[in-house]
Amino acid sequence: MIAELMQARQGSHAYEVRVGDGVPDAAAALAREWESVALVSCARVLRTPFGKRVRAALARAGTCKLVHVLPDGEKGKTLAEMERAAVRLLKSGATRRSLVVALGGGAVTDAAGFLAATYMRGVSWAAVPTTLLAMVDAALGGKTAVNLPLAKNAVGAFHPPVAVLADPVSLRTLPDREVRSGLGEVVKYAALRPELLDRVREAARAGRTDAGLVAACARVKMEIVERDPTERGERKLLNLGHTFGHGVEAAGGFARYTHGESVAVGLAFAFRLARVLGRVDGAAVEALESVLAAARLPARVPAEVARRAARLMGYDKKRTSSGLQWVLPRTLAGGSWAVEWDIPADARAVQESVKEIGRRP
Amino acid sequence: MIAELMQARQGSHAYEVRVGDGVPDAAAALAREWESVALVSCARVLRTPFGKRVRAALARAGTCKLVHVLPDGEKGKTLAEMERAAVRLLKSGATRRSLVVALGGGAVTDAAGFLAATYMRGVSWAAVPTTLLAMVDAALGGKTAVNLPLAKNAVGAFHPPVAVLADPVSLRTLPDREVRSGLGEVVKYAALRPELLDRVREAARAGRTDAGLVAACARVKMEIVERDPTERGERKLLNLGHTFGHGVEAAGGFARYTHGESVAVGLAFAFRLARVLGRVDGAAVEALESVLAAARLPARVPAEVARRAARLMGYDKKRTSSGLQWVLPRTLAGGSWAVEWDIPADARAVQESVKEIGRRP
């Protein structure tokens, strides 16, 4: 495959999602359509061969007026960094008709997307995701955000990009931990679409994800987002593993566990909670955890982290006054499962699952 | 008049604008419809009799979980304050189904509206404007924003409120300068709708604005916003006086001149620029400036402020790569004028007008 082109649709807004070769040239072609372009990335990505190629391609396009370097990772996702970046956009002459190109992992696409959503009350942006996590999740669907000290993604906006350009070649230079982290979201898609389980398990064992699997995951997300752009219903499915997962991420100070590792633990938690509630049997938990193991992703955390995660998930955006609503699997006839949203769980079942997830020291 | 009720419409979103008596009770009735409410205001407003009445009414409603006090005025319109406020919302238990009630002048409604636009990617908000400026402009139309050190309202979002509740009784306790400042935006409506000129001149002389005039100005804005919610065309008219005006405001460090004073100077600038360009005659400039004088608002600034304002308006959101586009009057047969948008002006004409606006020391 050279490149798979898909059309994403959110309400009246449509944009192209491209997965495959040739992203630097595609980014340059896009940049030529805009009167000015600002590249927003981070040092870690700009050092890679792929980062250098995209930057050079944008420079050749002639409209790139600014390269703004966010701090690596979650450190770039703060309101203070948004102020610094917006001031640089302003000084570079960026107008309402400028394009922000976000080049990087999920932290960069989340932050640069939010910058674009709010700079002059909204400018266009394109995502060039460089991690598996960003390709199959963060860069798709138009959710943008920064973190508060207490809670991830607690400040943000819905602001879909004008294009998503994903080149799996960028995954080759990622550190092993980052690749495994990305598999956390890929395993989520397999949990949502069990027919993908074997394919994901194989990719996890091989430690490699090809463009075909990236495109398959992206398609699951895009289809769900198209049917429910503002997360009134079905889109909540994409939060599978994220309620407890965000708690784990916050409990580790957004540093100890990557997002994908946190989601992995959150997926294991969701399946165990579903088992405690009698929704699935032990085989479903085992099937899910075997894929996590193949990807060398954690399914458990130390007991004190699990307890702290349980407390912190109280700050989750998905909370309502009647408590957390869960996204949980339910066994179907034949042994497979379907995932459902807006499922309540009593405190005792949650506590029981927190205990299962927590390792004794 | 007890209260005038108007229906505002922006795209698919409709909301009530109420001008008149009984706002505390109306706010309490609204608050009872929400599972949790956060009141966002500033100390200056919460000290006033009207501020106390609204706060007490919300307390009686029983759903108000948080009173967050922003720094007075433009000091509350920063991304750092947005972070502090969002953390307090989070800790108070505010969810996506909470309502933010903004009680205050334009700075409070801009900032609290932006907080609502971005907290958990968007929660509902209502505006209870307490200054003339907020009643006829800031609280209407869904533009929300905070400032960057270099430019006013440079970071923001379009996020219309669910209700605007304006009670002119709140104007009675305002300091004289604040009342005159609000008249700056009222004069803008008279400049856009010259049939309002005499009525505004009288109100300016009397130093009093009644609910009828507030409602008339609000109606001009709502009609324009309804026809062009996202400022592709006609809504640009509402920026009359604001291009140079924002420059004046920035040149004074957002402290020396109030927003209304800056808009007054910006209106004089727009009419003088239109005269330099041969679009209007001296009589139009005089008519406009006589209303400013009746309101005891400035039409000129010291020469060095005018020069600095001219430089700083380069950061204006309305800039494009082909330079600033102006909103300017044009004389009609019969002596009145109409205002038009997207008017270019050559650098020499702008310089000439900057000189006219600048007083020798």
Side-chain angles (χ1 to χ4, degrees):
Chain A
M1 185 179 65
I2 308 230
E4 180 155 350
L5 298 181
M6 299 173 279
Q7 194 74 12
R9 206 172 290 280
Q10 292 184 251
S12 61
H13 181 82
Y15 56 98
E16 185 184 275
V17 177
R18 178 194 171 102
V19 182
D21 295 347
V23 160
D25 288 343
L30 177 68
R32 272 186 217 102
E33 296 171 21
W34 294 80
E35 66 178 36
S36 92
V37 172
L39 175 62
V40 177
S41 187
C42 66
R44 195 158 64 192
V45 168
L46 289 172
R47 269 197 304 269
T48 64
F50 180 75
K52 286 177 186 162
R53 282 172 56 210
V54 171
R55 182 178 183 162
L58 289 178
R60 278 196 306 277
T63 51
C64 189
K65 305 285 170 61
L66 172 71
V67 178
H68 182 71
V69 184
L70 290 170
D72 288 339
E74 300 291 322
K75 286 198 174 60
K77 282 181 65 175
T78 67
L79 284 167
E81 285 300 330
M82 291 304 95
E83 175 156 309
R84 252 187 289 278
V87 166
R88 289 212 63 214
L89 279 174
L90 201 63
K91 289 189 170 172
S92 78
T95 73
R96 283 180 172 166
R97 297 188 199 170
S98 300
L99 177 74
V100 170
V101 174
L103 169 69
V108 167
T109 59
D110 278 359
F114 183 64
L115 176 67
T118 56
Y119 180 70
M120 294 191 175
R121 297 200 187 93
V123 299
S124 295
W125 73 293
V128 183
T130 58
T131 64
L132 190 49
L133 191 150
M135 288 179 190
V136 301
D137 188 39
L140 295 168
K143 281 192 188 178
T144 70
V146 294
N147 303 327
L148 289 179
L150 281 173
K152 206 170 144 83
N153 295 340
V155 169
F158 286 95
H159 190 58
V162 297
V164 178
L165 310 173
D167 195 334
V169 75
S170 65
L171 305 178
R172 286 193 205 149
T173 52
L174 288 178
D176 177 62
R177 188 179 178 191
E178 185 64 53
V179 173
R180 283 186 289 116
S181 174
L183 285 169
E185 291 286 348
V186 172
V187 174
K188 181 188 79 177
Y189 290 109
L192 288 172
R193 298 282 186 268
E195 65 271 20
L196 290 174
L197 268 177
D198 291 340
R199 203 164 153 195
V200 171
R201 193 182 287 109
E202 268 169 50
R205 278 196 190 121
R208 243 177 346 148
T209 318
D210 60 19
L213 183 55
V214 170
C217 292
R219 200 175 299 110
V220 173
K221 174 151 187 177
M222 284 158 47
E223 283 168 3
I224 291 175
V225 169
E226 181 168 341
R227 285 192 292 260
D228 175 21
T230 53
E231 201 170 315
R232 312 269 158 163
E234 185 182 359
R235 186 167 180 171
K236 294 179 185 177
L237 289 176
L238 297 171
N239 294 324
L240 178 62
H242 281 63
T243 303
F244 192 76
H246 279 165
V248 169
E249 209 169 353
F254 300 109
R256 182 167 173 182
Y257 301 98
T258 65
H259 180 66
E261 288 164 357
S262 307
V263 168
V265 177
L267 289 169
F269 184 90
F271 275 67
R272 282 174 181 270
L273 177 57
R275 209 215 46 223
V276 171
L277 293 170
R279 297 172 56 88
V280 300
D281 52 22
V285 178
E286 273 168 40
L288 186 274
E289 293 193 344
S290 77
V291 185
L292 294 177
R296 288 177 294 138
L297 281 167
R300 303 184 74 188
V301 287
E304 84 278 4
V305 173
R307 282 192 299 266
R308 191 164 150 70
R311 278 197 304 278
L312 287 169
M313 70 185 175
Y315 289 131
D316 197 272
K317 287 192 293 302
K318 296 174 282 300
R319 176 190 52 180
T320 68
S321 63
S322 50
L324 284 166
Q325 297 290 309
W326 293 86
V327 182
L328 296 177
R330 187 175 52 77
T331 296
L332 301 174
S336 188
W337 62 76
V339 180
E340 299 171 329
W341 65 89
D342 281 352
I343 310 296
D346 57 287
R348 189 176 300 195
V350 172
Q351 272 319 103
E352 171 64 31
S353 313
V354 170
K355 268 191 202 149
E356 288 190 15
I357 286 293
R359 275 196 313 268
R360 299 279 160 275
Chain B
M1 184 176 66
I2 308 229
E4 181 157 349
L5 299 180
M6 299 173 279
Q7 194 73 12
R9 207 172 290 281
Q10 292 184 249
S12 61
H13 182 82
Y15 57 99
E16 186 185 273
V17 177
R18 178 194 172 101
V19 181
D21 296 346
V23 160
D25 288 343
L30 177 68
R32 272 186 217 104
E33 295 170 20
W34 294 80
E35 65 177 37
S36 91
V37 172
L39 174 63
V40 177
S41 187
C42 66
R44 196 157 63 192
V45 169
L46 289 172
R47 268 196 306 268
T48 63
F50 181 74
K52 285 177 188 163
R53 280 172 56 211
V54 172
R55 181 177 183 164
L58 288 178
R60 277 196 306 276
T63 50
C64 189
K65 307 284 172 61
L66 172 70
V67 178
H68 182 71
V69 185
L70 291 170
D72 288 339
E74 300 291 322
K75 287 198 173 62
K77 282 181 65 176
T78 67
L79 283 168
E81 284 300 330
M82 291 303 96
E83 176 157 309
R84 250 186 292 277
V87 166
R88 288 214 60 215
L89 279 175
L90 201 62
K91 288 188 171 173
S92 78
T95 72
R96 283 179 172 167
R97 298 187 198 170
S98 300
L99 176 74
V100 170
V101 174
L103 169 69
V108 167
T109 59
D110 278 0
F114 183 65
L115 176 68
T118 56
Y119 179 70
M120 293 190 176
R121 297 199 186 95
V123 298
S124 296
W125 73 293
V128 183
T130 58
T131 64
L132 191 50
L133 190 150
M135 288 179 191
V136 301
D137 188 39
L140 295 168
K143 281 192 185 177
T144 70
V146 294
N147 303 326
L148 288 179
L150 281 173
K152 205 169 145 84
N153 296 341
V155 169
F158 286 95
H159 189 59
V162 296
V164 178
L165 310 174
D167 195 334
V169 75
S170 66
L171 305 177
R172 288 193 203 150
T173 52
L174 288 178
D176 177 62
R177 188 179 179 192
E178 185 64 52
V179 173
R180 283 186 289 115
S181 174
L183 284 169
E185 291 286 349
V186 172
V187 175
K188 181 188 80 178
Y189 291 108
L192 287 172
R193 299 280 185 271
E195 65 272 19
L196 290 175
L197 268 177
D198 291 339
R199 203 164 153 194
V200 171
R201 194 183 287 109
E202 269 169 51
R205 278 197 190 121
R208 243 179 344 149
T209 319
D210 61 17
L213 183 55
V214 169
C217 292
R219 202 175 296 110
V220 173
K221 173 149 187 178
M222 284 158 47
E223 283 167 6
I224 291 175
V225 169
E226 180 167 343
R227 286 192 292 261
D228 175 20
T230 53
E231 201 169 314
R232 312 271 158 161
E234 185 182 359
R235 185 166 181 170
K236 294 179 186 178
L237 289 177
L238 297 171
N239 294 325
L240 178 63
H242 282 63
T243 303
F244 193 76
H246 279 165
V248 169
E249 209 170 352
F254 300 109
R256 183 167 172 182
Y257 302 99
T258 65
H259 180 67
E261 287 164 359
S262 307
V263 168
V265 178
L267 289 169
F269 184 90
F271 275 67
R272 284 175 178 269
L273 177 57
R275 210 218 46 226
V276 171
L277 293 169
R279 297 173 55 88
V280 299
D281 51 22
V285 178
E286 274 167 42
L288 186 274
E289 293 193 346
S290 78
V291 185
L292 293 178
R296 289 176 293 139
L297 282 166
R300 304 185 73 188
V301 287
E304 84 278 4
V305 173
R307 283 193 298 268
R308 191 164 151 70
R311 280 198 303 280
L312 287 169
M313 70 186 176
Y315 289 130
D316 197 272
K317 288 190 293 301
K318 297 172 281 299
R319 178 189 53 184
T320 68
S321 63
S322 50
L324 283 167
Q325 297 290 308
W326 294 86
V327 182
L328 296 176
R330 187 173 53 77
T331 295
L332 301 175
S336 188
W337 63 76
V339 181
E340 299 171 330
W341 65 89
D342 281 352
I343 311 295
D346 57 286
R348 190 175 302 195
V350 171
Q351 271 320 103
E352 171 64 27
S353 314
V354 170
K355 269 191 203 148
E356 288 190 16
I357 285 293
R359 274 196 312 268
R360 300 280 159 273

